[in-house]
Amino acid sequence: MTTTALINKLALIGAGLIGGSIARAARASGAARTIVATARSPQSRRRVMELGFADRVTDTNIEAVKDADLVIVSIPVGASGAVAKEIGPHLKTGAILSDVGSVKGSVVRDMAPFVPPGVHFIPAHPVAGTENSGPDSGFAELFVNRWCILTPVPGTDPAAVETLKAFWEKLGANVETMTPEHHDLVLAITSHLPHLIAYTIVGTADELGEVTESEVLKFSAGGFRDFTRIAASDPTMWRDVFLHNKEAVLEMLGTFNEDLAKLTRAIRRGDGEALFAHFTRTRAIRRGIVTIGQDSAAPDFGRPHPALPTARIARPYAVDGD
Amino acid sequence: MTTTALINKLALIGAGLIGGSIARAARASGAARTIVATARSPQSRRRVMELGFADRVTDTNIEAVKDADLVIVSIPVGASGAVAKEIGPHLKTGAILSDVGSVKGSVVRDMAPFVPPGVHFIPAHPVAGTENSGPDSGFAELFVNRWCILTPVPGTDPAAVETLKAFWEKLGANVETMTPEHHDLVLAITSHLPHLIAYTIVGTADELGEVTESEVLKFSAGGFRDFTRIAASDPTMWRDVFLHNKEAVLEMLGTFNEDLAKLTRAIRRGDGEALFAHFTRTRAIRRGIVTIGQDSAAPDFGRPHPALPTARIARPYAVDGD
């Protein structure tokens, strides 16, 4: 059965949420025959060994990529260049080198110079994740029905792109191809700006003199708690995203600020019609996301609701004639 | 068993998400013996009859409140004054009149003048909800472990406050008391500003020329989709919230804008240390909310993750000796 594996040897540089999920999904789907992983800290390497989602954990990146057919770098984007420089000379001819970074322009700029001839460099970004990080946080189902964006540079061997596409599809993902520049613009609005806004408002709530932190936490079910999930994401990863996709983020932020000023003016002037029209329009977008399966249709994201503590056997909800 | 009911007759003006959930929870917990509901449109009244979560559905609010021991007005806050004026003369002496509005200062201002002597007016706000609305959207567990804030005006009969508190506790809620003014400040940051920001960014994404709507929807799992849930909330309710809690919302918005400007400057200057420090701090707030049980500890809010389509029986994640 393993003879049908797409990839003979998969090397994962970084085995946190994304790298660790790739390992689990590649194994569960049979997409790779052998999986070698590495992680920066000895503690993480030990934990990957304990979790056992890779066949081998190596001490160095150089050792991990040796003879690998597919190498996926899953680390904060700020470290991409240094890792490419380190592993470049040790990549096998014909190997595919890819990554999972949330920014693609800077990854191309930082990694491409170190890719030797004969190695297929295909940057990628699976648009999936959770607020957790580290080797324990991954799971095999993370990429199912999520999109993975490939941003191959011009002249890339189409057969190598097809192989990487087939790999991600085996992991359950849908695959789309676009330029690194367009990717960075799309992700600036669908991911980077939402994170920046969430990080901001959670910080704002934390600093108020008039409302205590205890009150913010207790009454967070009014909406605030929805923002705290993404504001709990890995700080190193997100620092690097904002430093490396600066222009696109600042552009989207400019548009957001204009729109916020418009709604603020409507509130100040008591323009109920403008508010109602805006709020009606945004409702339709949620429906679109649910319709194409990118979010749960269950209220509250499907959050569990505990049962009534004092509930007796409910009588049927029938009009009883009074 | 029904002789132990706290409330003999409960009248619900408005039977949408909140009113309908109160009815279901009051019945399931035995907090009320008889439940009478009304809704503005004939369609909603018919639907309440079909769903059967009330014992009776009346055509008029006046008929509903007749002989009621507890009347809860569950409608957009902008309509509070008109309803108080309508039902005021028909309230029973000794009855408790309450509401569920997300703003309390304006509710006190608009309703109090129409409350006859001998009726206990105790404004309330259960901090719970989902993005859905209408009679079908409610459920009995909505208030379990959520907070209900009471804002009694000075001089309110303590026994009546105790009864309303006991009622909400029967529905599974925790109860806290504060002034209407403080409530409006606390909710401005924990609920109103998050909604305004979510409504804004979802609108921004919808209007971009460079990124298509299809791309926004497809790649929304990068963070954007978390914002769309609350931006799908009832437009009438939220228009009224912003019109009636204008000052507190504008104040919080001012602080938010200052904080956003600070983070924007850090991005523009490439100040990675400032970004990292901020992102680390916000992570702790999420942990606080999960610790006190106001959100799910499960990653992604506990959203369901579909299984790998091509999954074979997974072998155990054990290091297999390579």
Side-chain angles (χ1 to χ4, degrees), chain A:
Chain A
M1 181 151 190
T2 49
T3 51
T4 63
L6 269 167
I7 302 296
N8 192 37
K9 182 181 170 185
L10 168 65
L12 295 166
I13 310 295
L17 171 64
I18 303 296
S21 294
I22 293 173
R24 291 166 171 97
R27 178 173 279 184
S29 66
R33 206 173 71 83
T34 308
I35 301 171
V36 181
T38 191
R40 203 170 53 162
S41 75
Q43 295 92 314
S44 290
R45 284 199 294 274
R46 197 159 47 235
R47 189 65 191 135
V48 173
M49 295 261 290
E50 287 163 10
L51 292 165
F53 55 68
D55 297 296
R56 262 179 69 208
V57 182
T58 66
D59 277 347
T60 70
N61 294 337
I62 292 169
E63 207 184 326
V65 304
K66 203 182 147 201
D67 298 323
D69 303 285
L70 172 59
V71 175
I72 301 183
V73 176
S74 309
I75 58 174
V77 290
S80 305
V83 165
K85 186 175 179 181
E86 180 191 6
I87 62 175
H90 306 276
L91 294 168
K92 182 169 88 167
T93 300
I96 296 172
L97 172 64
S98 190
D99 79 315
V100 299
S102 301
V103 184
K104 296 270 69 83
S106 75
V107 163
V108 170
R109 186 194 65 210
D110 295 348
M111 291 184 76
F114 302 107
V115 180
V119 169
H120 309 288
F121 174 48
I122 311 172
H125 177 206
V127 184
T130 79
E131 64 275 31
N132 295 338
S133 49
D136 284 272
S137 63
F139 51 97
E141 300 78 15
L142 181 61
F143 309 110
V144 177
N145 200 29
R146 298 283 88 88
W147 287 85
C148 183
I149 301 172
L150 308 186
T151 63
V153 291
T156 306
D157 178 8
V161 175
E162 274 310 305
T163 299
L164 188 60
K165 181 170 186 280
F167 176 81
W168 278 105
E169 286 173 348
K170 269 275 207 189
L171 270 48
N174 309 309
V175 176
E176 181 144 323
T177 298
M178 59 180 73
T179 65
E181 295 71 29
H182 190 63
H183 167 278
D184 289 355
L185 214 50
V186 170
L187 270 290
I189 185 66
T190 57
S191 178
H192 307 171
L193 184 58
H195 275 79
L196 184 67
I197 298 299
Y199 278 124
T200 304
I201 193 168
V202 174
T204 301
D206 188 38
E207 276 174 345
L208 294 171
E210 303 141 304
V211 179
T212 67
E213 188 183 316
S214 156
E215 287 174 325
V216 169
L217 302 183
K218 273 157 84 173
F219 307 120
S220 60
F224 180 75
R225 62 180 180 156
D226 281 18
F227 288 66
T228 60
R229 190 188 76 80
I230 61 178
S233 302
D234 183 52
T236 306
M237 170 189 161
W238 282 97
R239 175 199 64 197
D240 282 8
V241 166
F242 292 115
L243 295 178
H244 289 83
N245 198 23
K246 190 197 283 202
E247 283 73 23
V249 169
L250 292 177
E251 183 185 328
M252 293 300 169
L253 198 47
T255 310
F256 170 82
N257 279 328
E258 288 166 18
D259 292 344
L260 184 58
K262 272 182 228 162
L263 281 179
T264 304
R265 198 160 47 236
I267 292 174
R268 190 175 288 121
R269 293 179 179 171
D271 185 350
E273 276 177 46
L275 296 174
F276 184 83
H278 186 103
F279 300 167
T280 303
R281 187 159 60 84
T282 52
R283 203 172 209 188
I285 295 170
R286 171 79 189 162
R287 273 199 296 271
I289 289 174
V290 169
T291 302
I292 66 165
Q294 290 304 308
D295 209 344
S296 168
D300 251 346
F301 301 117
R303 282 181 175 113
H305 284 269
L308 270 169
T310 59
R312 43 177 202 178
I313 304 303
R315 38 179 176 136
Y317 288 154
V319 178
D320 66 10
D322 192 44

Side-chain angles (χ1 to χ4, degrees), chain B residues 127-151:
Chain B
V127 184
T130 77
E131 64 276 31
N132 295 339
S133 48
D136 284 273
S137 62
F139 51 98
E141 300 79 16
L142 181 61
F143 310 110
V144 177
N145 200 29
R146 296 285 86 89
W147 287 84
C148 183
I149 301 173
L150 308 187
T151 64

